[in-house]
């Protein structure tokens, strides 16, 4: 299985791949061949990945609906998710475990309005699972049929079968072949040349950005609010041309920053961090390796996972965010044994759901492969999944200290996971989350007032996981009464 | 050492521009290799920004007081999942049904759904009332934190209150307190309600008028009866005659709690409105031995002379005063007119029917539909019902609809199915064929909805 690159649709349907784990770098790149450097240092992994007995539970209906790209899709899927609509609905168990509920693949035939039934299948046991396939023309991904099929499976409404029909077997074979192709990458010399050319183009783009920043500060930021979107978009477009996609997103997002009441400070901080990034990129060859990796990641150069860590990972929380033209989703994981923090990120175009390899509130016994920067990681082998209970908590002081340490490694860091135990909501002008000692963190404006958190815990002390950001804490998950995890997003 | 002014200084220079102001050099920063002033400013700003972020100290804030403990148990996991689906959709009848079922079982909702529910209840008061019964202590506690949800406390029957306490409240609350008397209304409330008839707020006056009309043998009722008898009396050949009120009649205006708009002269519409209000609140027994021998005789005589405004006003009186006996004699007359194609708007027919117990409403519909085999006829009988159907009525409708699934559906069948989706006993879903072929037929949709409701009932049983 080839490193970070994820293909959720299978090679049989070009252009319908879901770009996950590797960020789509600029328009038109989503779903094309991955950059070679993403593949060069793939860790040794077999396919299909899980080699150990897997005791993962079958998912609940909630988990299934969380995969829906939007609410209308969920409603549409709920309508189709009736056994009567599925004359054929089957699952094949994995050979020796793996896959949630020991399921390798699901397939079914859904009677639609046409003469031909829609053929839907979901591959559950691969490291990049779930992967979907459906013969319907829907542009939603996963489509309502795939979701409905998963729902029926979650409700134990599918039959077990030893043999998959030909179309399912073909699809699995294609997926397996594609995964192997990705493992044996193309000509290494050519890819090195390509990578070099790209780094140079990025350098040119960043030099232009630096001049632009210089001009802004020389003439003064006071007029920036009246720019409209055009000024930033033009700069962002040049950065897209220079293949510095992530910097382009950051510049484009500046237009929204001016809407906030504290916009001058936010704009200056962003400009300053962009300047820091251009300087760091120029000197990248002289930086220590970890910082160099961070700088490369921050400009949008893809990396491959390097180090694989086996642990039981508490899934602390999930946050969805807009990222340029696509939607992003990140999960924060913390290892029970190693104490390490991992961030799983995935992206999807509008109308599709970013991949959800883990579920909030569970503890996953898994091997997680770390990229060299940003605590970014990917699940490469999942052995078991438990109902986690509240994760180990830290004090506010410890959390801020960890944040400071993380900033030292990555000054561009925007969010860092925090788990507070016995946390209570405070109100003092703004909204806060405090701990028994009385120390408190202010909540992020987007999370204020924290109605869902307040409703779930009722003002009683609870374990709360969230993201600390320069603009305050964003609560993501609360373990309230009975230690039931409630996702707050 | 940290210079807390570093950031504001750098920011104000950045706003004006380095072309016009020198770049500050806050103490305590590492040196920045010089060159362009704008870039120097950005470098220093980066140092200060990251330093400030990394040096962030915790604050302190007073915790909010916790919610009182819950006494009601929470619904099960399956019911909770269904609720989540329901609140994500447009609020519809199934959400109201879910809330009703949960309330009947004395269960409460998973608290994390309260914010969405309270938002929905703020937009639809009928839903709000249902929410008060399932939101638990947590719901009221949460509503106390957000002014947008403060409506919740007004929907709960208040405890006892003294007239002094009542007078001290604002108009909205005065009205809410009066409304809360509804379920426990007794003759002791007459003085307060009489006082409220002269309230500044027309909404408070309206609430008082309605409640007073439900009390037997009140001073106010006697005064209204005297007014009413002056305006409506038996004329020649035993026919009722109606005289519209004079808008200068201040005593009447005061007793029915209205004011003549300035410059309205003797506007006929306003006079008709006054008469409507007078009749609606006048004790209904005023009319027996005045217009006819008994209730049925009164209705017969009034309708025989074509005083339809008066029939409707009497119907409204039965609804306002919740008088079942009068409702029973008025229903054939009022709904009969509706069935003959008269304007549905403003008719009190469905509301009259709604006064009857569900079994009686359904029995009435069955009598009307007896012997007719068409969706059109059955629809005419059930379309005014606003209660769950009895099994007997459900069976009749199910048989008719199941028989029609092969035919192209007409508008009557669609409407009948739409009613059945709401009110048919959900276990009748087994009567329908749900194979995919008739997917677009309203019968198939009905079957799916019934199945959905059936599961919902099971989850909350």
């Amino acid at each position: 299985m080839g490193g970070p690159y994820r293909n959720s649709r299978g090679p049989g349907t070009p252009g319908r791949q879901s770009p996950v784990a590797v960020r789509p770098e600029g328009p038109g790149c989503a779903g094309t061949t991955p950059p070679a450097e993403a593949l060069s240092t793939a860790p040794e992994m077999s396919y299909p990945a899980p080699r150990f007995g897997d005791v993962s539970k079958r998912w609940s209906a909630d988990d299934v609906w969380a995969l829906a790209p939007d609410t209308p899709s969920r409603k549409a899927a709920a309508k189709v998710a009736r056994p009567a609509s599925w004359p054929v609905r089957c699952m094949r168990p994995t050979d020796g475990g793996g896959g949630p509920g020991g399921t390798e693949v699901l397939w079914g035939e859904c009677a639609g309005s046409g003469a031909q039934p829609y053929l839907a299948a979901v591959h559950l046991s691969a490291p990049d699972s779930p992967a979907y396939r459906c013969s319907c023309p829907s542009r939603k991904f996963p489509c309502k049929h795939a979701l409905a099929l998963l729902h029926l499976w979650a409700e134990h409404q599918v039959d077990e079968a030893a043999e998959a029909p030909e179309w399912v077997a073909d699809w699995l074979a294609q997926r397996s072949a594609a995964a192997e192709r990705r493992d044996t990458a193309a000509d290494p010399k050519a890819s090195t040349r390509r990578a070099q050319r790209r780094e140079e183009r990025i350098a040119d783009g960043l030099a232009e950005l630096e001049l632009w920043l210089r001009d802004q500060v020389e003439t003064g930021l006071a007029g920036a609010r009246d720019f409209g979107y055009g000024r930033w978009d033009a700069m962002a477009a040049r950065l897209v041309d220079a293949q510095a996609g992530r910097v382009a997103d950051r510049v484009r997002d500046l237009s929204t920053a001016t809407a906030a009441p504290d916009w001058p400070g936010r704009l200056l901080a962003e400009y300053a961090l962009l300047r820091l990034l251009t300087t760091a990129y120029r000197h990248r060859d002289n930086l220590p390796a970890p910082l160099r990796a961070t700088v490369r990641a921050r400009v949008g150069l893809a990396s491959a996972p390097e180090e694989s860590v086996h642990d039981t990972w508490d899934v602390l929380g999930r946050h969805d965010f807009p990222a340029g033209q696509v939607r992003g989703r990140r999960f924060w994981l913390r290892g029970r044994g190693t104490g390490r923090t991992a961030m799983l990120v995935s992206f999807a175009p509008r109308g599709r759901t970013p991949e959800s390899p883990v579920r909030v509130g569970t503890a996953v016994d898994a091997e997680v492969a770390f990229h060299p920067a940003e605590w970014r990681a990917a699940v490469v082998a999942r052995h078991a999944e438990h109902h986690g209970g509240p994760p180990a908590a830290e004090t506010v002081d410890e959390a801020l200290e960890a944040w400071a340490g993380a900033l030292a490694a990555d000054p561009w860091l925007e969010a860092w996971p925090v788990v507070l135990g016995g946390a209570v909501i405070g109100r003092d002008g703004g909204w806060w989350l405090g701990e028994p000692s009385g120390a408190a963190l202010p909540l992020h404006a987007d999370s204020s007032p924290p109605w869902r958190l307040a409703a779930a815990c009722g003002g009683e002390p609870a374990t709360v996981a969230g993201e600390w950001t320069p603009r305050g804490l964003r609560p993501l998950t609360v373990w309230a009464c009975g230690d039931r995890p409630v996702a707050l997003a | 050492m940290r210079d807390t002014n570093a950031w504001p200084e750098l920011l104000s220079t950045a706003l004006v521009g380095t072309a016009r102001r020198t770049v500050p050099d806050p103490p305590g920063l590492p040196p920045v290799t010089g060159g362009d002033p704008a870039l120097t400013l950005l470098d220093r700003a980066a140092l200060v920004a990251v330093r400030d972020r990394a040096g962030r100290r915790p604050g302190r804030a007073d915790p909010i007081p916790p919610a009182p403990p819950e006494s009601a148990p929470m619904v099960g996991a399956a019911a909770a999942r269904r609720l989540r689906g329901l609140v994500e959709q447009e609020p519809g009848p199934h959400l109201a049904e879910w809330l009703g079922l949960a309330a009947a079982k004395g269960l409460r909702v998973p608290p994390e759904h309260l914010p969405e529910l309270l938002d929905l209840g703020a937009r639809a008061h009928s839903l709000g009332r249902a929410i008060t019964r399932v939101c638990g202590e947590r719901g009221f506690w949460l509503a106390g934190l957000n002014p947008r949800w403060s409506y919740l406390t007004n929907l709960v029957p208040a405890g006892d209150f003294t007239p002094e306490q009542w007078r001290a409240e604002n108009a909205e609350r005065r009205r809410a307190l009066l409304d809360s008397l509804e379920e426990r209304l007794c003759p002791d409330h007459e003085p307060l309600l009489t006082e409220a008839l002269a309230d500044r707020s027309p909404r408070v006056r309206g609430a008082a008028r309605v409640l007073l009309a439900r009390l037997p043998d009140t001073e106010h009722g006697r005064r209204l009866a005297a007014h009413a008898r002056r305006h409506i009396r038996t004329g020649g050949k035993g026919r009722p005659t109606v005289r519209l009120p004079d808008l200068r009649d201040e005593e009447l205006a005061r007793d029915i709690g209205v004011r003549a708009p300035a410059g309205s002269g003797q506007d006929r519409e306003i006079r008709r409105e006054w008469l409507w209000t007078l009749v609606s609140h006048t004790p209904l027994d005023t009319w027996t031995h005045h217009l006819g021998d008994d209730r049925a005789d009164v209705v017969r005589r009034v309708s025989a002379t074509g005083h339809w405004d008066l029939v409707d006003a009497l119907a409204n009186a039965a609804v306002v005063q919740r008088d079942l006996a009068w409702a029973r004699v008025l229903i054939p007359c009022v709904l009969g007119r509706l069935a003959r194609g008269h304007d549905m708007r403003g008719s009190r027919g469905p509301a009259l029917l709604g006064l009857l117990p569900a079994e009686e409403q359904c029995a009435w519909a069955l009598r009307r539909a007896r012997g007719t085999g068409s969706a059109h006829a059955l629809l005419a009988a059930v379309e005014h019902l606003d209660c769950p159907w009895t099994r007997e009525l459900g069976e009749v409708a199910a048989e008719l609809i199941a028989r029609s699934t092969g035919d192209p559906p007409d508008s009557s069948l669609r409407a009948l199915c739409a009613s059945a989706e709401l009110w048919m006993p959900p276990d009748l879903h087994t009567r329908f064929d749900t194979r995919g072929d008739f997917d677009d037929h309203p019968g198939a949709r009905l079957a799916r909805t019934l199945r959905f409701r059936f599961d919902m009932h099971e989850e909350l049983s």
Side-chain angles (χ1 to χ4, degrees):
Chain A
M1 177 63 210
Y5 195 73
R6 296 289 166 76
N7 177 350
S8 302
R9 187 80 187 190
T13 48
R16 304 211 66 168
Q17 295 169 342
S18 173
V20 252
V22 162
R23 186 179 180 75
E25 279 137 1
C29 289
T32 55
T33 314
E37 67 265 26
L39 308 173
S40 49
T41 52
E44 323 85 310
M45 270 168 279
S46 63
Y47 179 87
R51 283 154 296 185
F52 304 90
D54 191 319
V55 293
S56 306
K57 289 223 169 55
R58 196 173 280 209
W59 300 344
S60 72
D62 273 9
D63 301 323
V64 173
W65 297 139
L67 298 170
D70 46 36
T71 311
S73 301
R74 187 183 297 178
K75 279 193 236 170
K79 279 190 190 147
V80 189
R82 313 174 271 128
S85 300
W86 294 82
V88 175
R89 44 184 204 282
C90 298
M91 60 163 275
R92 185 168 72 185
T94 39
D95 189 9
T103 308
E104 180 202 1
V105 63
L106 304 174
W107 67 91
E109 296 179 10
C110 179
S113 42
Q116 289 295 320
Y118 292 125
L119 305 179
V122 184
H123 190 185
L124 283 165
S125 63
D128 61 339
S129 291
Y132 315 95
R133 182 201 162 98
C134 185
S135 62
C136 79
S138 168
R139 286 161 170 273
K140 293 289 176 61
F141 192 80
C143 70
K144 62 177 179 181
H145 303 106
L147 284 171
L149 186 59
L150 272 167
H151 181 75
L152 290 171
W153 164 76
E155 306 264 283
H156 296 267
Q157 303 255 26
V158 296
D159 308 317
E160 206 167 290
E163 289 294 319
E166 202 177 321
W167 63 273
V168 176
D170 285 353
W171 178 55
L172 292 179
Q174 281 168 6
R175 278 178 51 74
S176 167
E180 266 167 39
R181 265 203 307 285
R182 288 196 298 276
D183 278 351
T184 53
D187 173 15
K189 260 191 202 157
S191 73
T192 312
R193 271 201 309 280
R194 266 203 308 278
Q196 254 170 8
R197 264 207 308 280
R198 180 161 175 215
E199 289 198 26
E200 283 158 20
R201 290 181 67 179
I202 291 176
D204 293 344
L206 293 184
E208 223 179 307
L209 171 65
E210 197 167 271
L211 276 177
W212 184 87
L213 291 169
R214 201 197 68 89
D215 287 349
Q216 308 302 307
V217 177
E218 194 175 74
T219 50
L221 306 185
R225 201 176 192 176
D226 309 321
F227 276 5
Y229 291 87
R231 182 91 61 111
W232 287 294
D233 274 358
M235 186 65 235
R238 288 209 289 282
L239 289 164
V240 168
D241 290 344
Q243 295 191 320
R246 276 190 84 178
V247 190
D249 288 347
R250 212 160 169 150
V251 170
R252 204 180 287 111
D253 286 346
L254 292 173
S255 59
T256 57
T258 54
D262 58 344
W263 69 271
R266 283 172 64 182
L267 203 57
L268 178 59
E270 272 300 304
Y271 281 3
L273 288 169
L274 282 168
R275 152 75 175 165
L276 183 63
L277 187 57
T278 62
T279 313
Y281 188 78
R282 197 175 317 112
H283 299 296
R284 65 191 179 283
D285 291 338
N286 304 324
L287 297 176
L291 190 55
R292 182 165 65 238
T294 299
V295 172
R296 287 175 56 90
R298 289 286 172 190
V299 299
L301 284 164
S303 62
E306 288 175 344
E307 173 200 14
S308 194
V309 178
H310 183 194
D311 202 341
T312 298
W313 302 89
D314 278 311
V315 183
L316 305 180
R318 184 184 85 188
H319 177 57
D320 287 353
F321 55 97
Q325 315 289 347
V326 298
R327 291 167 57 187
R329 169 173 287 184
R330 65 176 164 244
F331 288 90
W332 291 107
L333 269 53
R334 194 163 274 166
R336 287 189 176 176
T338 59
R340 287 187 64 160
T341 295
M343 177 181 72
L344 312 183
V345 191
S346 52
F347 297 92
R350 293 213 179 101
R352 298 192 193 172
T353 321
E355 187 186 56
S356 295
V358 288
R359 294 179 294 146
V360 170
T362 59
V364 192
D365 175 13
E367 239 147 282
V368 160
F370 279 86
H371 289 247
E374 298 185 90
W375 299 271
R376 189 155 168 183
V379 175
V380 289
R382 189 187 337 220
H383 309 310
E385 189 182 53
H386 323 277
H387 288 289
E394 55 205 325
T395 65
V396 167
D397 277 332
E398 284 166 349
L400 288 177
E401 204 175 308
W403 156 253
L407 266 186
D410 180 356
W412 299 277
L413 189 64
E414 298 272 272
W416 183 253
V418 166
V419 183
L420 298 183
V424 286
I425 298 171
R427 193 176 192 177
D428 181 9
W431 293 86
W432 298 71
L433 193 67
E435 63 182 7
S437 76
L441 294 173
L443 294 190
H444 194 288
D446 295 349
S447 306
S448 301
W451 293 135
R452 201 168 157 88
L453 173 62
C457 69
E460 295 286 349
T463 300
V464 178
E467 287 180 339
W468 174 248
T469 77
R471 297 171 57 213
L473 180 70
R474 188 184 282 131
L476 301 179
T477 312
V478 57
W479 284 262
C481 47
D483 291 344
R484 194 167 56 97
V486 174
L488 299 170
Chain B
M1 207 209 82
R2 252 183 84 196
D3 174 6
T4 48
N5 287 323
W7 183 256
E9 275 178 37
L10 289 165
L11 182 55
S12 65
T13 305
L15 279 168
V16 176
T18 52
R20 271 172 281 177
R21 200 181 278 183
T22 330
V23 180
D25 186 5
L29 288 187
V32 168
T33 42
D36 184 274
L39 294 178
T40 302
L41 183 138
L42 285 175
D43 286 341
R44 289 189 180 138
L47 284 165
V48 175
V50 177
R51 184 191 68 183
D52 286 358
R53 285 178 182 187
R56 185 72 186 251
R57 302 305 307 150
R60 282 183 175 270
D62 292 332
I64 52 176
E70 301 286 356
S71 49
M74 204 161 81
V75 300
R81 270 201 298 280
R82 192 170 301 272
L83 174 66
R84 188 177 128 182
L86 287 169
V87 293
E88 275 174 7
Q89 298 171 15
E90 291 295 302
H94 301 318
L95 177 58
E97 187 173 14
W98 190 101
L99 295 171
L101 288 168
K105 290 281 164 190
L107 300 170
R108 68 185 162 89
V109 301
E112 64 267 26
H113 294 308
L114 285 169
E116 291 107 317
L117 279 174
L118 292 174
D119 278 346
L120 290 174
R123 277 179 267 149
H125 261 225
S126 59
L127 221 47
R129 217 174 286 274
I131 290 167
T132 60
R133 301 171 63 202
V134 294
C135 68
E137 297 292 339
R138 189 73 55 90
F140 293 103
W141 172 83
L142 203 58
L145 296 176
N146 185 353
R148 197 158 38 117
W149 299 331
S150 62
Y151 70 91
L152 203 66
T153 40
N154 284 339
L155 294 177
V156 193
D160 285 333
F161 54 91
T162 64
E164 291 73 33
Q165 285 168 332
W166 178 79
R167 282 180 211 118
E169 297 283 359
N170 65 23
E172 193 191 344
R173 189 70 190 142
R174 283 202 304 280
R175 188 185 117 112
L177 286 175
L178 288 190
D179 284 345
S180 75
L181 294 178
E182 186 173 327
E183 302 300 328
R184 54 196 169 99
L185 197 62
C186 69
D188 293 348
H189 293 130
E190 189 183 339
L192 178 70
L193 293 172
T194 309
E195 179 187 340
L197 275 182
D199 198 274
R200 287 188 305 281
S201 155
R203 289 164 58 113
V204 174
R205 293 202 298 270
R209 218 159 44 211
V210 167
L211 291 174
L212 262 183
R214 285 184 199 160
L215 279 178
D217 196 28
T218 63
E219 173 57 30
H220 183 244
R222 280 190 291 277
R223 276 211 305 281
L224 290 184
H227 287 299
R229 285 201 204 92
R230 279 195 290 116
H231 288 91
I232 301 163
R233 53 175 77 229
T234 306
K237 299 185 189 166
R239 286 181 180 164
T241 60
V242 175
R243 179 168 62 83
L244 290 179
D246 184 333
L247 296 186
R248 289 162 306 188
D249 185 342
E250 284 173 17
E251 200 185 332
L252 172 67
R254 194 178 57 244
D255 286 340
I256 61 174
V258 296
R259 276 168 211 166
S264 53
Q266 289 294 338
D267 184 313
R268 202 177 153 75
E269 269 312 299
I270 299 179
R271 295 170 73 195
R272 288 175 62 186
E273 261 174 47
W274 281 29
L275 187 75
W276 166 272
T277 307
L278 174 63
V279 173
S280 297
H281 300 91
T282 297
L284 277 158
D285 290 338
T286 306
W287 309 114
T288 42
H289 307 304
H290 180 65
L291 296 181
D293 298 336
D294 56 20
R295 298 185 187 100
D297 191 36
V298 171
V299 173
R300 196 163 48 241
R301 283 168 191 264
V302 173
S303 56
T305 43
H307 281 304
W308 299 117
D309 274 5
L310 185 53
V311 171
D312 285 342
L314 288 172
N316 192 47
V319 173
V320 166
Q321 299 171 33
R322 300 217 176 135
D323 194 316
L324 266 178
W326 276 90
R328 289 193 180 106
V329 295
L330 282 159
I331 281 170
C333 169
V334 174
L335 283 170
R337 250 165 72 73
L338 269 187
R340 287 193 297 276
H342 284 274
D343 190 6
M344 173 74 195
R345 255 176 319 124
S347 167
R348 303 306 284 157
L352 279 179
L353 203 52
L355 287 176
L356 306 184
E359 295 75 27
E360 196 176 335
Q361 293 186 46
C362 294
W364 176 87
L366 270 177
R367 274 201 306 279
R368 287 198 57 173
R370 180 160 300 139
T372 63
S374 76
H376 181 75
L378 187 56
L379 177 67
V382 303
E383 68 182 340
H384 304 309
L385 297 190
D386 195 20
C387 65
W389 293 356
T390 53
R391 169 151 296 277
E392 199 186 353
L393 178 56
E395 300 263 8
V396 169
E399 200 196 312
L400 194 149
I401 294 167
R403 223 174 38 223
S404 324
T405 43
D407 312 335
D410 64 8
S411 63
S412 297
L413 186 67
R414 280 183 199 286
L416 182 63
C417 287
S419 274
E421 281 184 31
L422 296 181
W423 301 127
M424 187 179 277
D427 57 335
L428 289 175
H429 74 90
T430 51
R431 300 297 169 85
F432 302 96
D433 183 354
T434 53
R435 278 173 316 199
D437 307 11
F438 299 114
D439 223 40
D440 295 329
H441 193 278
R445 200 189 122 106
L446 168 61
R448 282 198 296 277
T449 307
L450 289 179
R451 174 69 212 213
F452 179 92
R453 289 179 50 218
F454 177 76
D455 292 343
M456 182 163 90
H457 282 242
E458 292 282 294
E459 287 157 6
L460 285 165
S461 64

